[in-house]
Amino acid sequence: MFTLVHQDKNGKARLGKLVTEHGEIDTPTFMPVGTHATIKGLYPKDVEEAGAQIMLSNTYHVFLRPGMDVIRKAGGLHKFISWGKPILTDSGGYQVFSLALLRKLSDKGVEFQSHIDGFKHFLTPEDVIDIQSDLGSDIMMPLDECVHYPCTKDHGEVAMKRTVIWAKRSHKHMLEHKKNGPTRKQLLFGIVQGATYEDLRWVCAKELIDIDFDGYSIGGVSVGEPSDLIYNILDFTAGLLPQGKPRYAMGIGYPADIVEAVDRGIDMFDCVVPTRYGRNGTAFTSGGKIPIRNAPYAEDFKPLDEQCSCYVCKNFSRAYLRHLFNAQEMLGLTLLSLHNVYFFLDLTRNIREAIKQDKFKEFKKIFLKRYNESFSS
Amino acid sequence: MFTLVHQDKNGKARLGKLVTEHGEIDTPTFMPVGTHATIKGLYPKDVEEAGAQIMLSNTYHVFLRPGMDVIRKAGGLHKFISWGKPILTDSGGYQVFSLALLRKLSDKGVEFQSHIDGFKHFLTPEDVIDIQSDLGSDIMMPLDECVHYPCTKDHGEVAMKRTVIWAKRSHKHMLEHKKNGPTRKQLLFGIVQGATYEDLRWVCAKELIDIDFDGYSIGGVSVGEPSDLIYNILDFTAGLLPQGKPRYAMGIGYPADIVEAVDRGIDMFDCVVPTRYGRNGTAFTSGGKIPIRNAPYAEDFKPLDEQCSCYVCKNFSRAYLRHLFNAQEMLGLTLLSLHNVYFFLDLTRNIREAIKQDKFKEFKKIFLKRYNESFSS
């Protein structure tokens, strides 16, 4: 399923290819996030044209609304949302912890109240596999327990151990699915937890590797801890994982985070940042972030990013985009979201090109220097 | 500039071709409306792909925000909004009457307060030509006085006479522009006013024809009067206008209105209805209107309109669109807007095809029967 194509001669950055039922994914890859069965404000055709090879869909949101009945009758998530390329679904665990009202955890599973209508649900790790099987995602995640930062070691250990137990049950249930059901090619990743404690991460990684998942996610990062700590956890945890399997840093991140994580051997990323910032009027560019509402852009007829070849940069000026935000026009939100998604996808394209040429360290240096310079033109 | 290509043998419906600086327009034509220098929620590329040959932009809104300084520096409206095809601009008069705070009218011009910031502006008919010259629109409208329904004959007569005086000044000013300025190919239409009074319409049309405009608009219709009265005014007024010039029914209308107006010899239409209804969750289809939020669509996996070939109907189900509206997702608004714009453009495409074959009367009968049947499948 995964081929490690090349590793940069001067570091840990890796080039890979992941084969799924709905298509191939070149890694390092960025996955735009579709929360409510939509990448907010964007037509699937435009996301595909921007170069996305895979998207992430949140199981929790789709499970609650429109609900699994509708998805099953639609013939799965791909058909429902009209996305022909691969989809990775999360387990919904993170949203249960961050969004749901009143949750109760036990080894058996998780009980929670919907944040939409207060309705109570109970889900076991097996249920979560069943749901993702019905969604028809190409890559599934097992139910895990994600802790926030800071987190005591005791709490971190309890959550990690439960994550391992649930991972075993999820993997077993998935195998039963494959035995009994129609031939499926859904992949299942294990999620390494353990908060900021290296020994917990070590135990978790070891246990999951024994189960032999199709890939490994690093969970519980970017949950409030400082950047240095994020990078350290990624570095340490990536070092525990097998070379021949994809490594996915869940919820990472900002452009600089992605570059730093690739440098530590991570292959897959997802984040809501491009669309969320786009809706809020902030564009990501090779020269840093642009708050488009600001006065200096009123008569600035340059594109958002002169190095960018996206639809937005080829057709619209900063002045026009600022006007749209000032006039509270929806088009501003969608254009900035599209540019931002393209920017993140283009970043991973450039990263892959640099690794191919064994020049990732050089790329990183130049990119971060330019990106971190305060924007001033 | 305008060629009458064919008139249906069985009625008044006409097929024409209007040549402008930015391209040719096949009539009857529908012009999607871009109020704040954007067709709400839609990328220009998608509107063009849907078949739009011309769009309408509101002078009043653009004049107030971003303002003419920005537009001039951008190199005109086409460049600013990235629309390469023809643009028709209105005079802003209608918005002054319907949106502006505290307006004062005199023969000299109109004073009004911006509805955005309360700032006072004074515009003469000459100013309005200058503004549209700077916008660079392909078809300009002169400042006119539009009355509401009902309107006394005295008031209608005063407004009509002022409209004629302003039309003369506008035309004269436009000729001076062409003499002194760079070679421009902007067209100027006259606007026939006269409320619901045939004798006033007659006088107005006669006076405007003497001036010899590039085309004729019928103003002051669809301002609150019943449908029958709208159709009567259009019928009567169209009959007063020269065969060899395009006829534009301003602000018309709903699908049935467009079909009725074509039957009375009208060539051009504009309306905010497709995008406004789209944002509110109502889709226009060949079988009538669909309020997509309604429960029956929750598990309806058919496209909005099985006869429609738009991006939305080829890719998304009613169930998915309903889900987007229920989840308050922006994508629902933009997809329904796009479908509706396509539906209106497709209607005029089908109308043109029917006229070509001298079958417009038949088309009208079948279309209205199916469209007006209450939606029930």
Side-chain angles (χ1 to χ4, degrees):
Chain A
M1 307 289 184
F2 180 75
T3 314
L4 181 61
V5 176
H6 180 68
Q7 181 165 335
D8 192 292
K9 281 178 188 156
N10 308 305
K12 299 177 188 166
R14 300 142 45 99
L15 206 63
K17 195 177 278 293
L18 179 58
V19 180
T20 73
E21 199 171 349
H22 287 88
E24 292 183 3
I25 302 147
D26 297 307
T27 63
T29 192
F30 178 77
M31 303 181 277
V33 177
T35 303
H36 282 121
T38 154
I39 297 171
K40 283 185 190 294
L42 302 182
Y43 294 165
K45 63 170 181 167
D46 291 321
V47 178
E48 195 174 327
E49 203 181 297
Q53 294 183 312
I54 175 169
M55 67 172 277
L56 182 147
S57 181
N58 291 121
T59 296
Y60 172 86
H61 289 90
V62 175
F63 169 77
L64 292 181
R65 190 169 54 190
M68 295 310 298
D69 250 16
V70 170
I71 300 292
R72 270 188 295 268
K73 286 175 185 163
L77 194 56
H78 288 86
K79 280 193 189 167
F80 187 61
I81 69 175
S82 193
W83 176 256
K85 290 188 170 279
I87 297 176
L88 181 148
T89 44
D90 59 10
S91 71
Y94 183 79
Q95 280 73 30
V96 166
F97 296 113
S98 57
L99 286 179
L101 315 170
L102 293 181
R103 61 169 196 279
K104 270 189 229 167
L105 264 168
S106 66
D107 284 345
K108 210 182 155 204
V110 58
E111 183 185 85
F112 64 95
Q113 274 190 304
S114 160
H115 73 289
I116 299 169
D117 57 13
F119 197 85
K120 265 191 195 169
H121 299 273
F122 182 80
L123 292 176
T124 66
E126 289 79 7
D127 293 334
V128 168
I129 293 295
D130 290 342
I131 291 168
Q132 291 177 88
S133 175
D134 285 346
L135 290 174
S137 45
D138 298 83
I139 305 174
M140 304 188 288
M141 295 293 141
L143 189 64
D144 64 330
E145 183 175 349
C146 178
V147 295
H148 288 288
Y149 177 83
C151 164
T152 63
K153 188 159 184 183
D154 283 353
H155 183 186
E157 185 165 9
V158 169
M160 181 275 282
K161 285 187 172 168
R162 185 173 280 144
T163 294
V164 169
I165 292 166
W166 285 356
K168 282 179 190 162
R169 284 168 54 186
S170 303
H171 190 261
K172 190 175 162 217
H173 195 66
M174 186 267 297
L175 290 181
E176 281 160 13
H177 257 280
K178 291 203 173 172
K179 213 182 295 171
N180 305 325
T183 315
R184 304 299 297 257
K185 291 179 189 160
Q186 291 179 289
L187 307 179
L188 181 65
F189 281 23
I191 304 178
V192 183
Q193 291 289 358
T196 50
Y197 305 99
E198 294 193 348
D199 51 345
L200 298 185
R201 292 271 171 190
W202 187 88
V203 172
C204 192
K206 191 180 163 301
E207 296 268 6
L208 296 179
I209 292 165
D210 283 347
I211 302 171
D212 192 22
F213 283 96
D214 298 309
Y216 296 90
S217 307
I218 304 177
V221 282
S222 196
V223 289
E225 70 278 33
S227 284
D228 282 356
L229 204 45
I230 295 178
Y231 303 153
N232 287 346
I233 300 168
L234 292 179
D235 197 24
F236 178 80
T237 311
L240 304 171
L241 298 173
Q243 282 285 322
K245 295 283 173 77
R247 303 163 182 172
Y248 162 32
M250 301 179 86
I252 301 282
Y254 290 88
D257 295 335
I258 291 174
V259 171
E260 293 288 357
V262 166
D263 200 19
R264 287 157 175 86
I266 308 292
D267 309 306
M268 299 171 70
F269 305 93
D270 82 276
C271 202
V272 295
V273 152
T275 45
R276 181 174 294 163
Y277 276 58
R279 290 196 306 283
N280 292 337
T282 298
F284 289 90
T285 79
S286 56
K289 293 198 285 288
I290 295 188
I292 199 67
R293 281 190 185 84
N294 287 6
Y297 305 115
E299 298 192 353
D300 184 341
F301 298 102
K302 292 194 291 296
L304 285 172
D305 188 343
E306 281 170 310
Q307 295 187 10
C308 181
S309 324
C310 80
Y311 170 66
V312 187
C313 288
K314 282 194 291 189
N315 287 281
F316 307 97
S317 66
R318 295 169 182 178
Y320 180 62
L321 296 166
R322 178 179 186 270
H323 159 70
L324 293 177
F325 271 87
N326 270 10
Q328 297 180 297
E329 283 289 343
M330 218 179 358
L331 190 68
L333 283 59
T334 65
L335 286 177
L336 245 63
S337 297
L338 180 61
H339 164 80
N340 283 350
V341 165
Y342 186 96
F343 179 81
F344 276 67
L345 292 167
D346 207 39
L347 172 60
T348 52
R349 268 191 294 270
N350 294 335
I351 286 173
R352 291 196 299 267
E353 192 52 39
I355 298 172
K356 199 184 281 177
Q357 300 175 20
D358 294 310
K359 287 182 177 169
F360 177 73
K361 290 282 186 192
E362 204 177 319
F363 169 86
K364 176 183 167 182
K365 199 173 148 187
I366 294 167
F367 176 84
L368 290 181
K369 184 175 183 308
R370 185 160 153 64
Y371 184 79
N372 290 327
E373 273 173 2
S374 67
F375 195 82
S376 60
S377 62
Chain B
M1 307 289 183
F2 180 74
T3 313
L4 181 61
V5 175
H6 180 68
Q7 181 166 335
D8 192 291
K9 281 179 188 153
N10 308 304
K12 298 177 188 167
R14 301 143 45 100
L15 207 63
K17 195 177 277 294
L18 179 59
V19 180
T20 74
E21 200 171 349
H22 287 86
E24 293 182 1
I25 302 147
D26 296 307
T27 63
T29 192
F30 178 77
M31 304 181 277
V33 176
T35 303
H36 283 122
T38 154
I39 297 171
K40 283 186 191 293
L42 301 183
Y43 294 166
K45 64 171 181 166
D46 292 322
V47 178
E48 196 174 325
E49 202 181 298
Q53 295 183 313
I54 176 170
M55 67 172 277
L56 181 147
S57 180
N58 291 121
T59 295
Y60 172 86
H61 290 90
V62 176
F63 169 77
L64 293 181
R65 191 168 54 190
M68 295 310 298
D69 251 15
V70 171
I71 300 293
R72 270 189 295 267
K73 286 174 185 164
L77 193 57
H78 288 86
K79 280 194 188 166
F80 187 61
I81 69 175
S82 193
W83 176 256
K85 290 188 171 279
I87 296 176
L88 180 148
T89 45
D90 59 10
S91 70
Y94 183 79
Q95 281 73 29
V96 166
F97 296 112
S98 57
L99 287 179
L101 314 169
L102 293 181
R103 60 170 197 277
K104 270 190 230 166
L105 265 167
S106 66
D107 284 345
K108 209 180 154 204
V110 58
E111 184 185 86
F112 65 95
Q113 275 190 303
S114 160
H115 74 290
I116 299 169
D117 57 13
F119 198 85
K120 265 191 194 169
H121 299 273
F122 183 80
L123 293 176
T124 66
E126 288 79 7
D127 293 334
V128 168
I129 293 295
D130 290 342
I131 291 168
Q132 292 178 88
S133 174
D134 286 346
L135 289 174
S137 45
D138 298 83
I139 305 174
M140 304 189 287
M141 295 293 140
L143 190 63
D144 64 331
E145 183 175 349
C146 178
V147 295
H148 288 287
Y149 176 84
C151 164
T152 64
K153 188 158 184 183
D154 282 353
H155 183 185
E157 185 164 9
V158 169
M160 181 274 283
K161 285 187 172 169
R162 185 173 281 145
T163 294
V164 169
I165 291 165
W166 285 356
K168 282 180 189 161
R169 283 168 55 185
S170 303
H171 190 262
K172 190 174 163 217
H173 195 65
M174 187 267 298
L175 289 182
E176 281 160 13
H177 257 280
K178 290 203 173 173
K179 214 182 295 173
N180 304 325
T183 316
R184 304 299 296 256
K185 290 179 189 161
Q186 291 179 289
L187 307 179
L188 181 64
F189 281 24
I191 304 178
V192 183
Q193 291 289 0
T196 49
Y197 305 98
E198 293 193 349
D199 51 344
L200 298 185
R201 292 270 171 190
W202 187 88
V203 171
C204 192
K206 191 180 163 302
E207 296 269 6
L208 296 179
I209 292 166
D210 283 348
I211 302 171
D212 192 22
F213 283 96
D214 297 309
Y216 296 91
S217 307
I218 304 176
V221 281
S222 197
V223 288
E225 70 278 33
S227 284
D228 281 357
L229 204 45
I230 296 179
Y231 303 153
N232 286 346
I233 300 167
L234 292 178
D235 197 25
F236 177 80
T237 312
L240 303 171
L241 298 173
Q243 283 284 323
K245 296 283 173 77
R247 303 164 183 170
Y248 162 33
M250 303 179 85
I252 301 285
Y254 290 87
D257 295 335
I258 291 175
V259 171
E260 293 287 357
V262 166
D263 200 18
R264 287 157 175 86
I266 308 293
D267 309 306
M268 300 170 69
F269 304 93
D270 82 276
C271 202
V272 294
V273 151
T275 45
R276 180 173 295 163
Y277 275 59
R279 291 196 305 284
N280 292 337
T282 299
F284 289 90
T285 79
S286 55
K289 293 199 285 287
I290 295 189
I292 199 67
R293 280 191 186 84
N294 286 8
Y297 305 115
E299 298 191 354
D300 183 341
F301 298 102
K302 291 193 291 296
L304 285 172
D305 188 343
E306 281 170 309
Q307 296 188 9
C308 181
S309 325
C310 80
Y311 171 66
V312 186
C313 288
K314 281 194 292 190
N315 287 281
F316 306 97
S317 65
R318 295 169 182 178
Y320 181 62
L321 296 166
R322 179 179 185 269
H323 160 71
L324 293 176
F325 271 88
N326 270 11
Q328 297 181 297
E329 283 289 344
M330 215 176 5
L331 190 67
L333 283 59
T334 65
L335 287 178
L336 245 61
S337 296
L338 180 60
H339 163 79
N340 282 350
V341 165
Y342 186 97
F343 179 81
F344 276 68
L345 292 166
D346 207 39
L347 172 60
T348 52
R349 268 191 295 271
N350 294 335
I351 285 173
R352 291 196 298 268
E353 192 52 40
I355 298 173
K356 199 184 282 179
Q357 300 174 21
D358 294 310
K359 287 182 177 170
F360 177 73
K361 290 282 186 191
E362 204 177 320
F363 169 86
K364 176 183 167 183
K365 198 173 149 189
I366 294 167
F367 175 84
L368 291 181
K369 184 174 183 308
R370 185 160 153 65
Y371 184 79
N372 290 327
E373 271 173 4
S374 67
F375 194 83
S376 59
S377 61

